[in-house]
Amino acid sequence: MASISTMRAIGFICLLLLTNSCSNKKKISPNTNLEIVLFEDFDSSILKSLKLDIQKFYGIKTVSSESKQMPISSYYKPRNRFRADSLIRYLNSCKKHSENLVLGLCAKDISVSIHNANDWGVFGFGYCPGNSCIASSFRLKKDIKPGYYTRLKNVVLHELGHNLGLVHCQDTICLMVDAKGKMSSIEGANRKLCVNCQQIIDGK
């Protein structure tokens, strides 16, 4: 049986490999667009502003897709939620072009298996790197305005950052800091990427 120190070393190497594999910028071709899928009950009135903010932040052209019903296959009845990983698989199947990214926007509660919990409610979810992500308005206190739009925008930009190859950042003022379910982590109209994360996006 391996010693404790050996096991720790192996664990550290595995973590390092995982981190490095996820911190590589996703290659985006000039033909890549971001398809936005609106699920039922999501407030479409903010879509125009959101598309402009996404394009300004990441330089990705956005195109709207048709509205869709939440897929019943993603529904998790015990908690009355929708599984985010299942929704992402569904979004991948909806892509109109293989090179595109897809962002899903919904008003339902979504969850993932994380933080030692089988069903953890989240603001949004995206694989790193990946082709699709999902953001939910359910936990963003929509009734508290104008902060609601800022919170949603920050969640969307955060999850797209994962798709583009950004891991969670240790810099507490960086847009890519792990929210851990805390509303304070997605507040702030002027949240930006830290220098290191921005360099990854810029390919430096």
Side-chain angles (χ1 to χ4, degrees):
M1 182 178 293
S3 66
I4 294 177
S5 59
T6 300
M7 293 175 68
R8 286 177 176 171
I10 293 173
F12 174 77
I13 292 172
C14 289
L15 178 61
L16 184 62
L17 289 173
L18 178 62
T19 301
N20 287 340
S21 67
C22 191
S23 61
N24 293 324
K25 182 181 183 295
K26 183 180 178 68
K27 293 182 179 180
I28 300 295
S29 79
N31 297 322
T32 298
N33 292 323
L34 174 67
E35 299 177 24
I36 300 180
V37 175
L38 297 184
F39 286 110
E40 57 186 305
D41 300 332
F42 186 85
D43 180 10
S44 61
S45 66
I46 63 173
L47 184 58
K48 183 177 180 180
S49 296
L50 188 60
K51 290 170 68 175
L52 290 173
D53 281 329
I54 291 171
Q55 188 163 352
K56 180 179 179 181
F57 199 89
Y58 286 121
I60 302 175
K61 181 181 177 182
T62 61
V63 292
S64 297
S65 182
E66 65 274 11
S67 297
K68 295 183 179 296
Q69 297 288 316
M70 297 289 282
I72 192 64
S73 59
S74 301
Y75 183 60
Y76 184 60
K77 187 175 181 180
R79 301 295 296 277
N80 191 29
R81 293 171 170 170
F82 287 81
R83 295 290 296 181
D85 50 353
S86 178
L87 289 171
I88 285 177
R89 288 193 295 272
Y90 174 77
L91 289 169
N92 276 328
S93 72
C94 296
K95 282 201 300 183
K96 295 180 178 180
H97 193 290
S98 61
E99 293 185 2
N100 285 354
L101 301 176
V102 186
L103 164 66
L105 299 171
C106 71
K108 305 295 186 183
D109 198 13
I110 61 175
S111 62
V112 296
S113 297
I114 197 171
H115 299 315
N116 297 318
N118 180 58
D119 191 67
W120 180 271
V122 292
F123 302 130
F125 186 67
Y127 289 115
C128 175
N131 300 310
S132 303
C133 61
I134 182 78
S136 167
S137 62
F138 185 86
R139 297 171 177 269
L140 301 182
K141 297 183 178 179
K142 185 178 178 180
D143 55 320
I144 302 178
K145 297 180 179 181
Y148 162 69
Y149 176 76
T150 295
R151 292 188 287 273
L152 176 67
K153 179 192 70 173
N154 288 341
V155 170
V156 166
L157 295 177
H158 178 102
E159 302 308 336
L160 284 173
H162 283 319
N163 279 179
L164 295 173
L166 298 179
V167 297
H168 281 146
C169 184
Q170 298 301 313
D171 189 333
T172 56
I173 64 172
C174 180
L175 179 73
M176 294 307 299
V177 68
D178 187 355
K180 296 182 179 179
K182 297 179 180 178
M183 194 71 68
S184 59
S185 66
I186 56 173
E187 299 281 6
N190 298 314
R191 275 191 174 269
K192 299 179 180 179
L193 297 175
C194 68
V195 173
N196 290 335
C197 289
Q198 187 64 57
Q199 286 180 342
I200 293 173
I201 291 298
D202 294 340
K204 296 180 179 180

